[in-house]
Amino acid sequence: MSKVDAQRAMREARYAQNRASGPTRREAAAAAGTPAAPAAAVPEATPITKPSTKPARAPKATPTAATPEGELCGHKSMNGRACTRPAGHSEKSHRYG
């Protein structure tokens, strides 16, 4: 058995195991003859994911009208340069220079 065949067999086994847990809500409602419950009422199962190794992002700064004149944004680029736009600027991009 090749590597791809082994992966396919494991994937099919996982799908079969998930289906063995019982019918879906839609299938159960159709068998009972009642309308299905809305999807928002029943929480969905969360997919299995790897834990993220990325650091959490800081919330975006909200522009304020009370920033003192002459204060700079100060956002740092990857090479260490700082943004020269005024603090709380509405532009999406930063200006390093």
Side-chain angles (χ1 to χ4, degrees), residues 28-91:
T34 60
V42 179
E44 293 289 325
T46 57
I48 299 173
T49 58
K50 295 191 312 186
S52 177
T53 57
K54 294 181 181 179
R57 284 186 159 182
K60 286 189 174 182
T62 56
T64 59
T67 55
E69 188 65 35
E71 188 175 334
L72 296 178
C73 170
H75 178 266
K76 298 283 186 180
S77 69
M78 287 174 43
N79 63 356
R81 299 181 81 183
C83 176
T84 58
R85 291 186 190 260
H89 61 84
S90 61
E91 294 86 358

Side-chain angles (χ1 to χ4, degrees), residues 8-45:
R8 183 177 297 123
M10 292 197 53
R11 183 174 56 243
E12 289 173 0
R14 187 176 65 232
Y15 289 153
Q17 181 183 11
N18 289 341
R19 289 292 294 173
S21 64
T24 62
R25 288 190 314 266
R26 183 174 291 159
E27 291 169 346
T34 60
V42 179
E44 293 289 325

